[in-house]
Amino acid sequence: YLCTGPICRRAEDLLPLLEVLSARRIGPAPTDLKGLRVLCIPDDGLLSVDPGLQRVQNQAADWLSASGAVVEHARFPELRNSVEMWSALLAESGGTTFEDLLFEGGRRSLALAFLRWSLGGGPHTLPALALAGIERLNGVFAGRLARFAEEARVFRRKLSARIGNGVFLYPSHAVPAPKHGRSLLFPVRWAYTAILNVMEFPVTQVPLGLSSDGLPLGVQVGAVHGCDALTIGVASLLEREFGGWKPPVLQA
């Protein structure tokens, strides 16, 4: 639930890399879009998405439709609770706590760690310390977490049924790449990727050109559990059509 997948410049490199990591056959990636069901989800209904990201997602959906896919635009009100569902399923998963991992199982004081951070010291980042602090509250809000965990399971079944044997398009983030440290001012924009982790859906991020500021634009192509090759195949086709990875333009 907290892992980052492999990062490659080209989608074609993902299949062999995933097969090495998982020690099993995943491919081949499909190459025919005719009749493929595509669900285009514009946002989570809570965090607005940058117009540039909206534009390239719609362009991707239009091209898939023109290539024979059956595209449907849909919204899901459950996505407004993405952060809550993510937190509930993460807490429910059990195992070693993030705080134990952060402090390597040793004695620790979160208050002291926060103080050290505020003075410019300590080895931990503010988001890491904040997550450890939020984790301590799970026991206090056990009933609320259980409710959101059940909501997440119901939503997973609902979304899986809507996707079927197809794919979905969903924004990768609310805005293009922010300046270093700026994301701390908007601490839950990562919900656009985190919710798909706890839904256990494979997702391939596809580059779709650059913004007017020279920043990368793209979209997530997702599918139901176990359909990694399908998301990579669609990503490869979109990559071929829209030019694939391009180096960002450095601004003076």
Side-chain angles (χ1 to χ4, degrees):
Y1 287 172
L2 282 173
C3 289
T4 300
I7 301 175
C8 304
R9 288 185 179 177
R10 287 169 292 277
E12 65 182 357
D13 295 327
L14 288 171
L15 268 182
L17 182 53
L18 285 173
E19 288 176 346
V20 169
L21 291 172
S22 63
R24 65 182 178 89
R25 179 75 171 151
I26 295 176
T31 57
D32 185 8
L33 293 172
K34 188 174 182 180
L36 178 70
R37 182 177 180 81
V38 177
L39 204 59
C40 186
I41 308 172
D43 53 55
D44 65 4
L46 181 65
L47 302 170
S48 59
V49 175
D50 178 86
L53 291 170
Q54 292 177 335
R55 174 178 53 80
V56 295
Q57 179 170 330
N58 288 328
Q59 287 175 346
D62 290 344
W63 181 80
L64 290 171
S65 178
S67 300
V70 179
V71 177
E72 176 190 355
H73 294 263
R75 291 181 179 274
F76 295 91
E78 295 92 339
L79 287 169
R80 292 180 63 89
N81 295 331
S82 290
V83 173
E84 290 86 349
M85 289 190 290
W86 172 83
S87 180
L89 289 180
L90 191 66
E92 189 181 72
S93 66
T96 305
T97 66
F98 179 73
E99 185 176 347
D100 281 336
L101 294 172
L102 189 67
F103 293 101
E104 299 179 337
R107 297 183 62 187
R108 66 274 190 182
S109 166
L110 267 181
L112 181 58
F114 272 112
L115 178 61
R116 292 179 66 187
W117 174 86
S118 67
L119 297 175
H124 307 302
T125 64
L126 180 60
L129 295 174
L131 182 56
I134 292 171
E135 189 178 51
R136 287 189 176 187
L137 298 175
N138 287 342
V140 178
F141 300 107
R144 189 170 183 266
L145 286 172
R147 177 168 61 86
F148 279 118
E150 180 58 24
E151 180 180 335
R153 284 188 284 270
V154 171
F155 179 55
R156 181 189 291 154
R157 293 192 293 269
K158 173 183 176 180
L159 190 53
S160 295
R162 289 288 297 274
I163 298 165
N165 295 323
V167 299
F168 63 90
L169 304 180
Y170 193 53
S172 310
H173 201 61
V175 296
K179 290 184 177 180
H180 184 68
R182 189 73 59 82
S183 58
L184 293 176
L185 301 175
F186 306 94
V188 295
R189 282 176 171 169
W190 44 260
Y192 275 99
T193 53
I195 185 60
L196 301 181
N197 270 16
V198 295
M199 291 291 106
E200 300 181 8
F201 293 155
V203 176
T204 304
Q205 154 70 22
V206 189
L208 296 173
L210 304 177
S211 71
S212 57
D213 295 327
L215 297 173
L217 300 173
V219 69
Q220 297 181 100
V221 178
V224 298
H225 187 74
C227 292
D228 305 68
L230 179 58
T231 70
I232 294 171
V234 173
S236 298
L237 295 173
L238 286 171
E239 182 181 80
R240 205 169 301 159
E241 173 64 21
F242 290 89
W245 180 85
K246 294 181 176 67
V249 178
L250 298 178
Q251 301 290 332

